[in-house]
Amino acid sequence: MKFVTIGYGERADYDRTAAAVRDEAHAHDARLRAQGVEMGIAGEPVQVRNPGNTGTTTKPGAFLRSDLPIAGFAIIEADSVDEAVRMVAGTPCAVARGVVEVWPLESAEG
């Protein structure tokens, strides 16, 4: 199964997390990337609309609102949600007072 993960976190919370904890979290991310996990830091989003296929409009900024800023995304493969949770529990957002959401990525094919 594939999962989309979204990490949220404040820079100030990251900075006040012990350096050893942060270093291990980054090493954890490096191990995940070595296993083929695709991950990246969130850039500036763009909203895209095309109502009724009448024309595309864009608007800078996020549509989704959160108490914490979005820090990054990953696409992971795991046998279950529980395994996916174990995989992301050691990432920087999870250990530095942020949060990581794990979303099952269901096929759009019918």
XYZ file of all heavy atoms in Angstrom:
812
model
N 0.843 -1.182 0.000
C 0.000 0.000 0.000
C 0.885 1.241 0.000
O 1.965 1.236 0.582
C -0.879 0.037 1.250
C -1.832 -1.135 1.422
S -2.692 -1.116 3.024
C -3.577 0.410 2.940
N 0.383 2.285 -0.628
C 1.085 3.561 -0.595
C 0.368 4.510 0.349
O -0.855 4.450 0.509
C 1.162 4.183 -1.993
C 2.148 3.482 -2.897
C 2.355 4.267 -4.162
C 3.398 3.563 -5.020
N 3.718 4.317 -6.211
N 1.174 5.389 0.946
C 0.653 6.381 1.875
C 1.288 7.730 1.555
O 2.460 7.801 1.191
C 0.985 6.015 3.322
C 0.364 4.732 3.774
C 1.003 3.517 3.547
C -0.872 4.723 4.396
C 0.427 2.327 3.950
C -1.459 3.536 4.801
C -0.803 2.330 4.575
N 0.494 8.796 1.691
C 1.004 10.150 1.631
C 1.142 10.608 3.078
O 0.202 10.452 3.868
C 0.031 11.092 0.884
C 0.502 12.527 0.957
C -0.149 10.648 -0.555
N 2.297 11.139 3.420
C 2.461 11.679 4.762
C 2.672 13.188 4.658
O 3.308 13.679 3.725
C 3.638 11.038 5.520
O 4.870 11.425 4.925
C 3.511 9.522 5.523
N 2.102 13.895 5.609
C 2.234 15.349 5.667
C 2.776 15.689 7.048
O 2.168 15.346 8.057
C 0.883 16.063 5.450
C 0.215 15.580 4.160
C 1.074 17.581 5.444
C -1.221 16.064 3.986
N 3.930 16.339 7.066
C 4.538 16.746 8.328
C 4.274 18.212 8.598
O 4.403 19.056 7.704
N 3.898 18.505 9.818
C 3.619 19.874 10.247
C 4.546 20.207 11.411
O 4.794 19.352 12.260
C 2.181 20.016 10.760
C 1.103 19.638 9.789
C 0.716 18.314 9.621
C 0.445 20.618 9.053
C -0.293 17.968 8.737
C -0.571 20.279 8.170
C -0.943 18.954 8.025
O -1.948 18.622 7.157
N 5.024 21.435 11.475
C 5.844 21.817 12.609
C 6.329 23.243 12.537
O 6.501 23.806 11.458
N 6.541 23.803 13.692
C 7.068 25.169 13.831
C 8.586 25.113 13.948
O 9.133 24.255 14.649
C 6.514 25.836 15.099
C 5.046 26.115 15.076
C 4.696 27.398 14.352
O 5.603 28.052 13.793
O 3.513 27.747 14.344
N 9.264 26.021 13.306
C 10.727 26.086 13.381
C 11.189 26.266 14.830
O 12.173 25.674 15.267
C 11.240 27.219 12.494
C 12.741 27.383 12.515
C 13.378 26.149 11.920
N 14.802 26.108 12.179
C 15.662 25.554 11.370
N 15.270 25.012 10.242
N 16.922 25.519 11.677
N 10.477 27.092 15.606
C 10.870 27.336 16.998
C 10.817 26.046 17.812
O 11.687 25.809 18.665
C 9.977 28.406 17.623
N 9.818 25.198 17.574
C 9.732 23.920 18.284
C 10.873 22.999 17.868
O 11.458 22.300 18.701
C 8.391 23.244 18.023
C 7.242 23.953 18.699
O 7.473 24.652 19.711
O 6.104 23.810 18.226
N 11.187 22.995 16.589
C 12.310 22.204 16.089
C 13.602 22.669 16.767
O 14.384 21.854 17.260
C 12.406 22.352 14.570
C 13.624 21.719 13.967
C 13.640 20.370 13.637
C 14.769 22.476 13.716
C 14.765 19.787 13.076
C 15.895 21.901 13.156
C 15.889 20.555 12.843
O 17.010 19.982 12.301
N 13.811 23.983 16.816
C 15.036 24.533 17.392
C 15.189 24.209 18.871
O 16.310 24.066 19.355
C 15.101 26.046 17.184
C 15.346 26.440 15.734
O 15.780 25.576 14.940
O 15.083 27.611 15.390
N 14.080 24.082 19.606
C 14.194 23.796 21.042
C 14.223 22.300 21.359
O 14.323 21.915 22.511
C 13.116 24.522 21.827
C 11.724 24.059 21.634
C 10.766 24.975 22.421
N 9.410 24.595 22.176
C 8.625 23.983 23.062
N 9.067 23.730 24.264
N 7.397 23.659 22.750
N 14.179 21.470 20.335
C 14.334 20.026 20.512
C 15.830 19.726 20.610
O 16.640 20.305 19.889
C 13.708 19.281 19.317
O 12.312 19.601 19.276
C 13.874 17.783 19.444
N 16.197 18.831 21.493
C 17.607 18.502 21.711
C 18.295 18.141 20.392
O 17.724 17.429 19.561
C 17.724 17.347 22.695
N 19.504 18.641 20.226
C 20.253 18.414 18.987
C 20.412 16.931 18.688
O 20.303 16.516 17.525
C 21.613 19.099 19.068
N 20.638 16.114 19.683
C 20.804 14.670 19.458
C 19.522 14.047 18.923
O 19.564 13.161 18.064
C 21.235 13.974 20.746
N 18.385 14.513 19.395
C 17.090 14.014 18.917
C 16.883 14.440 17.467
O 16.464 13.643 16.621
C 15.939 14.514 19.822
C 14.578 14.161 19.238
C 16.090 13.939 21.225
N 17.198 15.697 17.165
C 17.072 16.181 15.785
C 18.005 15.419 14.855
O 17.601 15.016 13.757
C 17.378 17.685 15.705
C 16.359 18.552 16.402
C 16.543 20.025 16.075
N 17.923 20.457 16.034
C 18.474 21.313 16.899
N 17.755 21.819 17.879
N 19.730 21.667 16.776
N 19.253 15.208 15.289
C 20.225 14.495 14.453
C 19.745 13.080 14.148
O 19.853 12.614 13.011
C 21.592 14.458 15.132
C 22.263 15.815 15.188
O 21.804 16.751 14.485
O 23.249 15.945 15.954
N 19.219 12.394 15.146
C 18.717 11.031 14.921
C 17.509 11.056 13.991
O 17.339 10.178 13.149
C 18.367 10.341 16.232
C 17.723 8.975 16.066
C 18.460 8.002 15.121
O 19.711 8.035 15.064
O 17.786 7.225 14.423
N 16.661 12.070 14.124
C 15.495 12.177 13.236
C 15.932 12.373 11.788
O 15.356 11.780 10.869
C 14.596 13.323 13.693
N 16.944 13.178 11.559
C 17.447 13.373 10.199
C 18.124 12.106 9.681
O 17.983 11.778 8.489
C 18.384 14.581 10.130
C 17.650 15.874 10.271
N 16.826 16.379 9.290
C 17.596 16.756 11.301
C 16.294 17.522 9.704
N 16.737 17.771 10.917
N 18.812 11.382 10.551
C 19.400 10.097 10.151
C 18.293 9.105 9.805
O 18.415 8.328 8.851
C 20.289 9.554 11.269
N 17.203 9.153 10.558
C 16.041 8.301 10.282
C 15.487 8.606 8.889
O 15.218 7.693 8.105
C 14.976 8.521 11.359
C 13.729 7.743 11.159
N 13.610 6.420 11.511
C 12.541 8.093 10.610
C 12.402 5.995 11.208
N 11.730 6.990 10.661
N 15.338 9.915 8.578
C 14.868 10.313 7.243
C 15.819 9.813 6.156
O 15.375 9.353 5.107
C 14.740 11.837 7.142
C 13.405 12.348 7.644
O 12.591 11.546 8.146
O 13.178 13.577 7.541
N 17.112 9.904 6.408
C 18.097 9.439 5.424
C 17.941 7.933 5.184
O 18.029 7.470 4.043
C 19.508 9.765 5.889
N 17.669 7.181 6.236
C 17.451 5.731 6.080
C 16.188 5.469 5.265
O 16.160 4.579 4.413
C 17.385 5.040 7.444
C 18.728 4.971 8.154
C 18.693 4.104 9.394
N 17.812 4.582 10.442
C 18.157 5.464 11.382
N 19.376 5.998 11.396
N 17.299 5.824 12.313
N 15.132 6.231 5.510
C 13.901 6.076 4.733
C 14.146 6.385 3.255
O 13.695 5.648 2.380
C 12.785 6.969 5.288
C 12.194 6.584 6.638
C 11.158 7.620 7.081
C 11.578 5.204 6.605
N 14.875 7.469 2.979
C 15.178 7.810 1.589
C 16.006 6.710 0.929
O 15.787 6.367 -0.238
C 15.903 9.160 1.503
C 14.958 10.343 1.688
C 15.604 11.670 1.333
N 16.770 11.966 2.134
C 16.753 12.530 3.343
N 15.599 12.867 3.882
N 17.869 12.761 3.996
N 16.944 6.122 1.671
C 17.764 5.032 1.136
C 16.910 3.806 0.813
O 17.271 3.012 -0.061
C 18.865 4.667 2.135
N 15.764 3.670 1.482
C 14.836 2.563 1.221
C 13.856 2.893 0.104
O 12.968 2.110 -0.188
C 14.055 2.213 2.496
C 14.908 1.682 3.619
C 14.130 1.565 4.920
O 12.902 1.675 4.956
N 14.846 1.366 6.013
N 13.983 4.089 -0.491
C 13.141 4.446 -1.617
C 11.993 5.373 -1.313
O 11.182 5.675 -2.204
N 11.887 5.847 -0.070
C 10.821 6.790 0.260
C 11.104 8.113 -0.441
O 12.217 8.629 -0.411
C 10.717 7.000 1.786
C 9.785 8.153 2.125
C 10.256 5.718 2.464
N 10.078 8.640 -1.099
C 10.185 9.943 -1.754
C 9.692 10.993 -0.782
O 8.543 10.941 -0.329
C 9.341 9.960 -3.022
C 9.454 11.222 -3.814
C 8.653 11.186 -5.098
O 8.241 10.103 -5.534
O 8.434 12.265 -5.655
N 10.571 11.932 -0.411
C 10.163 12.965 0.545
C 10.772 14.296 0.165
O 11.772 14.349 -0.558
C 10.533 12.572 1.979
C 12.001 12.471 2.262
S 12.401 12.153 4.016
C 11.582 10.628 4.344
N 10.131 15.344 0.636
C 10.645 16.672 0.351
C 10.052 17.708 1.278
O 9.047 17.469 1.951
N 10.688 18.853 1.299
C 10.239 19.990 2.090
C 9.156 20.714 1.300
O 9.260 20.865 0.081
C 11.422 20.929 2.394
C 12.451 20.180 3.249
C 10.964 22.204 3.075
C 13.765 20.903 3.410
N 8.135 21.152 1.989
C 7.018 21.834 1.327
C 7.440 23.203 0.825
O 8.035 23.989 1.558
C 5.841 21.967 2.284
N 7.148 23.481 -0.431
C 7.342 24.807 -1.005
C 6.046 25.594 -0.925
O 5.108 25.205 -0.229
N 5.990 26.691 -1.628
C 4.787 27.517 -1.648
C 3.741 26.887 -2.569
O 4.023 26.630 -3.737
C 5.119 28.930 -2.120
C 5.937 29.724 -1.125
C 5.201 29.944 0.186
O 3.987 30.251 0.173
O 5.857 29.803 1.234
N 2.536 26.645 -2.070
C 1.503 26.008 -2.885
C 0.787 26.993 -3.802
O 0.837 28.206 -3.609
C 0.527 25.454 -1.846
C 0.649 26.410 -0.709
C 2.093 26.846 -0.697
N 0.117 26.418 -4.784
C -0.748 27.162 -5.699
C -2.076 26.413 -5.771
O -2.099 25.206 -5.977
C -0.134 27.251 -7.113
C -1.083 27.926 -8.080
C 1.197 27.969 -7.075
N -3.175 27.126 -5.590
C -4.505 26.529 -5.740
C -4.884 26.557 -7.218
O -4.683 27.561 -7.890
C -5.538 27.319 -4.940
C -5.298 27.340 -3.454
C -6.287 28.230 -2.740
O -7.472 28.281 -3.097
N -5.818 28.950 -1.740
N -5.439 25.466 -7.697
C -5.849 25.358 -9.105
C -7.331 25.042 -9.150
O -7.797 24.115 -8.479
C -5.060 24.243 -9.835
C -5.508 24.135 -11.285
C -3.562 24.490 -9.732
N -8.059 25.796 -9.934
C -9.495 25.548 -10.134
C -9.792 25.563 -11.627
O -9.196 26.332 -12.383
C -10.325 26.609 -9.425
C -10.282 26.502 -7.911
C -11.274 27.482 -7.287
N -11.458 27.240 -5.875
C -10.668 27.699 -4.915
N -9.628 28.447 -5.225
N -10.920 27.433 -3.648
N -10.755 24.730 -12.017
C -11.229 24.680 -13.402
C -12.689 24.237 -13.361
O -13.037 23.143 -13.794
C -10.374 23.716 -14.222
C -10.735 23.733 -15.697
O -11.562 24.512 -16.135
N -10.113 22.854 -16.455
N -13.583 25.095 -12.833
C -14.972 24.699 -12.629
C -15.676 24.362 -13.942
O -15.699 25.173 -14.863
C -15.599 25.909 -11.941
C -14.709 27.058 -12.272
C -13.339 26.486 -12.481
N -16.206 23.165 -14.009
C -16.930 22.733 -15.202
C -16.072 22.731 -16.447
O -16.605 22.825 -17.553
N -14.764 22.668 -16.275
C -13.817 22.691 -17.387
C -13.977 23.959 -18.241
O -13.835 23.938 -19.461
C -13.942 21.431 -18.247
C -12.667 21.136 -19.011
O -11.577 21.521 -18.593
N -12.802 20.467 -20.133
N -14.294 25.090 -17.580
C -14.536 26.348 -18.286
C -13.317 27.251 -18.334
O -13.362 28.311 -18.946
C -15.684 27.120 -17.611
O -15.327 27.378 -16.243
C -16.986 26.342 -17.682
N -12.264 26.867 -17.664
C -11.047 27.672 -17.670
C -10.318 27.561 -16.348
O -10.944 27.541 -15.291
N -9.024 27.461 -16.439
C -8.198 27.278 -15.254
C -7.862 28.615 -14.623
O -7.463 29.560 -15.311
C -6.898 26.546 -15.627
O -7.226 25.310 -16.244
C -6.027 26.304 -14.413
N -8.040 28.691 -13.315
C -7.602 29.849 -12.543
C -6.666 29.346 -11.446
O -6.798 28.209 -10.976
C -8.779 30.609 -11.907
O -9.474 29.743 -11.008
C -9.734 31.134 -12.959
N -5.738 30.184 -11.065
C -4.822 29.843 -9.981
C -4.805 30.958 -8.959
O -5.119 32.120 -9.266
C -3.388 29.612 -10.510
O -2.924 30.812 -11.115
C -3.343 28.466 -11.509
N -4.450 30.578 -7.760
C -4.354 31.534 -6.669
C -3.190 31.079 -5.786
O -3.144 29.918 -5.383
C -5.661 31.539 -5.873
C -5.683 32.448 -4.673
C -7.030 32.354 -3.975
C -7.044 33.151 -2.685
N -8.306 32.990 -1.969
N -2.244 31.953 -5.474
C -1.146 31.540 -4.611
C -1.633 31.277 -3.197
O -2.596 31.880 -2.733
C -0.184 32.729 -4.651
C -0.950 33.875 -5.192
C -2.133 33.337 -5.916
N -0.967 30.352 -2.533
C -1.278 30.062 -1.144
C -2.026 28.768 -0.970
O -2.544 28.181 -1.915
N -2.077 28.334 0.269
C -2.715 27.064 0.613
C -4.220 27.231 0.770
O -4.701 28.255 1.245
C -2.124 26.523 1.910
N -4.957 26.223 0.365
C -6.389 26.156 0.625
C -6.602 25.584 2.025
O -7.409 26.072 2.797
C -7.062 25.268 -0.424
C -8.532 25.096 -0.210
C -9.414 26.107 -0.540
C -9.035 23.921 0.320
C -10.777 25.955 -0.346
C -10.389 23.761 0.520
C -11.270 24.773 0.190
N -5.840 24.565 2.357
C -5.907 23.901 3.658
C -5.321 24.802 4.735
O -4.284 25.432 4.519
C -5.102 22.597 3.588
C -5.009 21.742 4.833
C -6.357 21.097 5.130
C -3.962 20.662 4.622
N -5.957 24.867 5.873
C -5.467 25.651 7.000
C -5.152 24.714 8.158
O -5.851 23.748 8.388
C -6.499 26.684 7.446
C -6.881 27.682 6.363
C -5.746 28.649 6.102
N -6.143 29.619 5.083
C -5.541 29.771 3.926
N -4.526 29.010 3.607
N -5.947 30.666 3.070
N -4.091 25.046 8.894
C -3.652 24.216 9.997
C -3.104 25.087 11.110
O -2.622 26.196 10.857
C -2.564 23.253 9.496
O -1.892 22.655 10.563
N -3.144 24.569 12.340
C -2.537 25.278 13.465
C -1.026 25.385 13.304
O -0.413 26.342 13.755
C -2.854 24.574 14.790
C -4.317 24.671 15.169
O -5.012 25.581 14.683
O -4.775 23.836 15.969
N -0.414 24.392 12.670
C 1.024 24.383 12.416
C 1.280 24.495 10.924
O 0.501 23.994 10.122
C 1.645 23.070 12.922
C 1.621 22.819 14.417
C 2.074 21.394 14.727
C 2.504 23.828 15.135
N 2.381 25.111 10.525
C 2.691 25.168 9.101
C 3.091 23.798 8.562
O 3.665 22.979 9.282
C 3.863 26.147 9.025
C 4.419 26.219 10.390
C 3.345 25.841 11.340
N 2.774 23.561 7.296
C 3.187 22.315 6.646
C 4.686 22.399 6.399
O 5.184 23.380 5.854
C 2.417 22.091 5.339
C 0.930 21.879 5.641
C 2.991 20.892 4.577
C 0.057 21.741 4.407
N 5.388 21.349 6.811
C 6.844 21.330 6.674
C 7.300 20.458 5.512
O 8.284 20.767 4.855
C 7.481 20.833 7.971
N 6.605 19.346 5.256
C 7.053 18.470 4.187
C 6.086 17.343 3.905
O 5.097 17.148 4.615
N 6.411 16.611 2.847
C 5.573 15.513 2.367
C 6.441 14.306 2.077
O 7.635 14.443 1.803
C 4.875 15.902 1.056
C 3.966 17.079 1.168
C 4.429 18.360 0.918
C 2.637 16.911 1.522
C 3.592 19.460 1.014
C 1.790 18.006 1.623
C 2.267 19.271 1.369
N 5.830 13.141 2.095
C 6.517 11.929 1.652
C 5.488 10.973 1.076
O 4.303 11.008 1.440
C 7.263 11.258 2.802
N 5.948 10.129 0.176
C 5.170 9.004 -0.340
C 5.898 7.756 0.154
O 7.080 7.575 -0.151
C 5.114 8.987 -1.881
C 4.567 10.300 -2.434
C 4.336 7.780 -2.378
C 3.106 10.538 -2.169
N 5.220 6.946 0.945
C 5.855 5.742 1.480
C 5.046 4.518 1.099
O 3.850 4.609 0.816
C 6.035 5.814 3.012
C 4.682 5.906 3.736
C 6.909 6.993 3.404
C 4.796 5.825 5.240
N 5.700 3.388 1.102
C 5.030 2.106 0.897
C 5.163 1.302 2.175
O 6.254 1.223 2.763
C 5.634 1.360 -0.284
C 5.298 2.040 -1.598
C 5.579 1.159 -2.804
O 5.370 -0.065 -2.726
O 6.000 1.727 -3.825
N 4.052 0.735 2.612
C 4.015 -0.071 3.827
C 2.890 -1.087 3.681
O 1.975 -0.907 2.871
C 3.783 0.818 5.046
N 2.961 -2.148 4.469
C 1.937 -3.192 4.410
C 0.646 -2.804 5.115
O -0.396 -3.397 4.869
C 2.471 -4.493 5.007
C 3.557 -5.122 4.144
O 3.534 -4.911 2.913
O 4.423 -5.812 4.704
N 0.716 -1.794 6.015
C -0.467 -1.400 6.780
C -0.286 0.023 7.294
O 0.829 0.571 7.266
C -0.659 -2.334 7.974
O 0.418 -2.173 8.895
N -1.363 0.600 7.788
C -1.281 1.916 8.419
C -0.347 1.845 9.624
O 0.465 2.742 9.850
C -2.678 2.434 8.834
C -2.566 3.674 9.700
C -3.535 2.722 7.622
N -0.439 0.766 10.400
C 0.422 0.630 11.575
C 1.902 0.662 11.192
O 2.706 1.310 11.859
C 0.103 -0.665 12.328
C -1.254 -0.624 13.004
O -1.771 0.482 13.261
O -1.799 -1.705 13.281
N 2.256 -0.029 10.112
C 3.649 -0.008 9.664
C 4.038 1.395 9.199
O 5.140 1.877 9.499
C 3.892 -1.013 8.543
C 5.336 -1.027 8.083
C 5.600 -1.954 6.905
O 4.674 -2.640 6.428
O 6.758 -1.966 6.450
N 3.145 2.066 8.479
C 3.429 3.432 8.025
C 3.646 4.358 9.217
O 4.559 5.192 9.205
C 2.291 3.939 7.140
N 2.840 4.201 10.248
C 2.997 5.008 11.460
C 4.369 4.750 12.087
O 5.076 5.689 12.468
C 1.858 4.719 12.460
C 2.168 5.299 13.833
C 0.539 5.264 11.930
N 4.759 3.485 12.181
C 6.079 3.172 12.731
C 7.188 3.808 11.896
O 8.191 4.280 12.435
C 6.282 1.659 12.822
C 5.524 1.012 13.972
C 5.924 -0.429 14.197
N 5.636 -1.312 13.068
C 4.467 -1.905 12.826
N 3.447 -1.695 13.654
N 4.311 -2.698 11.790
N 7.005 3.833 10.585
C 8.023 4.403 9.711
C 8.209 5.899 9.934
O 9.327 6.408 9.852
C 7.668 4.146 8.243
C 7.814 2.709 7.815
S 7.227 2.424 6.132
C 8.503 3.279 5.179
N 7.131 6.631 10.200
C 7.238 8.091 10.320
C 7.388 8.586 11.751
O 7.656 9.761 11.964
C 6.045 8.807 9.639
C 5.957 8.436 8.176
C 4.743 8.559 10.358
N 7.266 7.699 12.725
C 7.310 8.117 14.130
C 8.651 8.714 14.543
O 8.712 9.475 15.507
C 6.962 6.935 15.034
N 9.717 8.418 13.798
C 11.022 8.956 14.145
C 11.463 10.136 13.306
O 12.613 10.561 13.394
N 10.568 10.685 12.497
C 10.938 11.790 11.612
C 10.977 13.114 12.377
O 10.414 13.232 13.463
C 9.956 11.892 10.429
O 8.660 12.167 10.942
C 9.934 10.618 9.607
N 11.645 14.140 11.817
C 11.779 15.405 12.537
C 10.458 16.010 13.017
O 10.368 16.447 14.165
C 12.491 16.316 11.533
C 13.341 15.371 10.747
C 12.469 14.140 10.585
N 9.440 16.047 12.185
C 8.176 16.645 12.627
C 7.573 15.883 13.803
O 7.037 16.485 14.733
C 7.176 16.722 11.479
S 7.562 18.040 10.308
N 7.660 14.568 13.761
C 7.061 13.758 14.825
C 7.787 13.935 16.152
O 7.152 13.939 17.208
C 7.038 12.284 14.425
N 9.105 14.082 16.131
C 9.866 14.154 17.382
C 10.103 15.581 17.862
O 10.489 15.784 19.007
C 11.217 13.398 17.273
C 10.993 11.951 16.906
C 12.171 14.072 16.318
N 9.868 16.573 17.015
C 10.161 17.963 17.380
C 8.886 18.756 17.649
O 8.729 19.884 17.184
C 11.000 18.632 16.296
N 7.949 18.113 18.354
C 6.716 18.773 18.813
C 5.755 19.145 17.695
O 4.891 19.989 17.850
C 7.046 19.994 19.669
C 7.805 19.646 20.930
C 8.279 20.885 21.662
N 8.978 20.541 22.876
C 10.275 20.221 22.932
N 11.008 20.207 21.843
N 10.830 19.926 24.082
N 5.913 18.505 16.543
C 4.983 18.704 15.436
C 4.072 17.500 15.335
O 3.812 16.816 16.318
N 3.615 17.237 14.120
C 2.725 16.100 13.885
C 2.940 15.630 12.453
O 3.300 16.416 11.577
C 1.242 16.489 14.138
C 0.768 17.539 13.168
C 0.335 15.274 14.100
N 2.728 14.340 12.231
C 2.760 13.777 10.885
C 1.433 13.074 10.651
O 1.025 12.236 11.452
C 3.923 12.783 10.690
C 3.896 12.203 9.279
C 5.271 13.451 10.968
N 0.753 13.445 9.582
C -0.464 12.741 9.176
C -0.068 11.632 8.197
O 0.813 11.827 7.357
C -1.441 13.675 8.481
C -2.015 14.740 9.366
C -2.937 15.683 8.614
O -2.842 15.810 7.380
O -3.760 16.300 9.298
N -0.750 10.500 8.297
C -0.546 9.382 7.385
C -1.870 9.147 6.663
O -2.875 8.815 7.294
C -0.099 8.108 8.146
C 0.000 6.926 7.200
C 1.217 8.352 8.856
N -1.853 9.346 5.347
C -3.063 9.200 4.524
C -2.894 8.017 3.592
O -1.973 8.025 2.760
C -3.265 10.442 3.668
C -3.609 11.702 4.392
C -2.822 12.403 5.255
C -4.829 12.425 4.282
N -3.463 13.537 5.684
C -4.697 13.569 5.096
C -5.992 12.233 3.575
C -5.721 14.502 5.232
C -6.995 13.167 3.695
C -6.860 14.278 4.519
N -3.772 7.003 3.673
C -3.725 5.929 2.677
C -3.995 6.514 1.292
O -4.886 7.341 1.118
C -4.853 4.984 3.089
C -5.114 5.310 4.538
C -4.801 6.769 4.679
N -3.188 6.129 0.335
C -3.345 6.600 -1.041
C -4.079 5.510 -1.809
O -3.501 4.491 -2.159
C -1.976 6.894 -1.650
C -1.968 7.546 -3.022
C -2.705 8.878 -3.011
C -0.524 7.748 -3.486
N -5.348 5.742 -2.016
C -6.192 4.745 -2.688
C -6.157 4.980 -4.182
O -6.100 6.119 -4.656
C -7.609 4.820 -2.133
C -7.662 4.498 -0.651
C -9.039 4.649 -0.043
O -10.005 4.938 -0.773
O -9.147 4.482 1.180
N -6.211 3.920 -4.922
C -6.149 4.005 -6.379
C -7.375 4.724 -6.919
O -8.501 4.491 -6.485
C -6.063 2.595 -6.987
O -6.140 2.665 -8.380
N -7.146 5.583 -7.897
C -8.247 6.275 -8.562
C -8.812 5.447 -9.708
O -9.805 5.817 -10.320
C -7.779 7.627 -9.081
N -8.145 4.335 -9.999
C -8.616 3.458 -11.066
C -9.842 2.695 -10.581
O -9.893 2.213 -9.472
C -7.517 2.484 -11.464
C -6.292 3.204 -12.016
C -5.129 2.265 -12.271
O -5.313 1.029 -12.152
O -4.049 2.772 -12.576
N -10.848 2.608 -11.416
C -12.110 2.028 -11.007
C -12.228 0.623 -11.359
O -12.936 -0.208 -11.034
